[in-house]
Amino acid sequence: MSIKELRASTGLSQARFADMFSIPVATLKDWEIGRRTPPGYVLGMIQTILQHNGFLGEAFDAKEARRKSVQKCLAILLTATKGPNDLFMQALDSYIEGTLSLDEMEKKVDLLEYIGG
């Protein structure tokens, strides 16, 4: 996988990605357009770090799928009520991170535990 593919798969901007790895943005841009080539071991280390931190692979894909479902639910929730409270937003973060199951979230939403009045 190229450096450009690695960065694109994370959804991070060039500046944020470069900052994450302490790479000058100009160097990252040169690598992405092919003006320069990053050492192979650097690509391997970046890919390993991204996988370990949940930016790549099945865990990342699952997190992104949960994030998209939450965005859709929030759009509906925000149009039907005065909006979610802080507890609901914390629960959303827990769901996106995978520490709260969808079943747990749905039970609490059904009981209107999170809906602000």
Side-chain angles (χ1 to χ4, degrees), residues 40-58:
Y41 71 89
V42 170
L43 284 175
M45 288 190 321
I46 288 173
Q47 186 169 356
T48 299
I49 291 167
L50 290 173
Q51 287 171 332
H52 179 73
N53 289 317
F55 281 95
L56 296 176
E58 291 178 24

Side-chain angles (χ1 to χ4, degrees), residues 28-41:
L28 179 61
K29 287 179 180 182
D30 284 348
W31 288 349
E32 287 193 1
I33 64 173
R35 186 175 307 152
R36 295 172 56 196
T37 304
Y41 71 89

Side-chain angles (χ1 to χ4, degrees), residues 1-3 5 13 15 23 29 31 34-35 53 66 69 77-78 84 90 93 97-98 101 111 115-116:
M1 189 176 281
S2 73
I3 192 75
E5 292 169 326
S13 67
I23 300 168
K29 287 179 180 182
W31 288 349
R35 186 175 307 152
N53 289 317
R66 287 193 300 271
S69 72
L77 178 68
L78 291 173
Q90 291 168 357
D93 287 340
E97 292 300 319
S101 74
L111 297 172
I115 309 296

Side-chain angles (χ1 to χ4, degrees), residues 7-114:
R7 184 188 61 78
S9 68
T10 67
L12 297 174
S13 67
Q14 285 180 329
R16 189 152 180 228
F17 189 87
D19 185 53
M20 178 185 282
F21 294 101
S22 299
I23 300 168
V25 175
T27 299
L28 179 61
K29 287 179 180 182
D30 284 348
W31 288 349
E32 287 193 1
I33 64 173
R35 186 175 307 152
R36 295 172 56 196
T37 304
Y41 71 89
V42 170
L43 284 175
M45 288 190 321
I46 288 173
Q47 186 169 356
T48 299
I49 291 167
L50 290 173
Q51 287 171 332
H52 179 73
N53 289 317
F55 281 95
L56 296 176
E58 291 178 24
F60 180 75
D61 294 340
K63 184 188 277 189
E64 286 304 301
R66 287 193 300 271
R67 185 181 317 278
K68 287 179 184 174
S69 72
V70 165
Q71 287 172 342
K72 289 178 186 174
C73 291
L74 265 178
I76 294 167
L77 178 68
L78 291 173
T79 58
T81 69
K82 292 181 183 178
N85 60 20
D86 289 338
L87 183 60
F88 180 76
M89 296 309 291
Q90 291 168 357
L92 279 180
D93 287 340
S94 296
Y95 172 66
I96 291 168
E97 292 300 319
T99 57
L100 181 69
S101 74
L102 181 58
D103 287 340
E104 293 169 316
M105 183 82 156
E106 287 176 346
K107 284 177 190 173
K108 292 184 179 209
V109 168
D110 287 344
L111 297 172
L112 301 177
E113 289 184 21
Y114 299 131

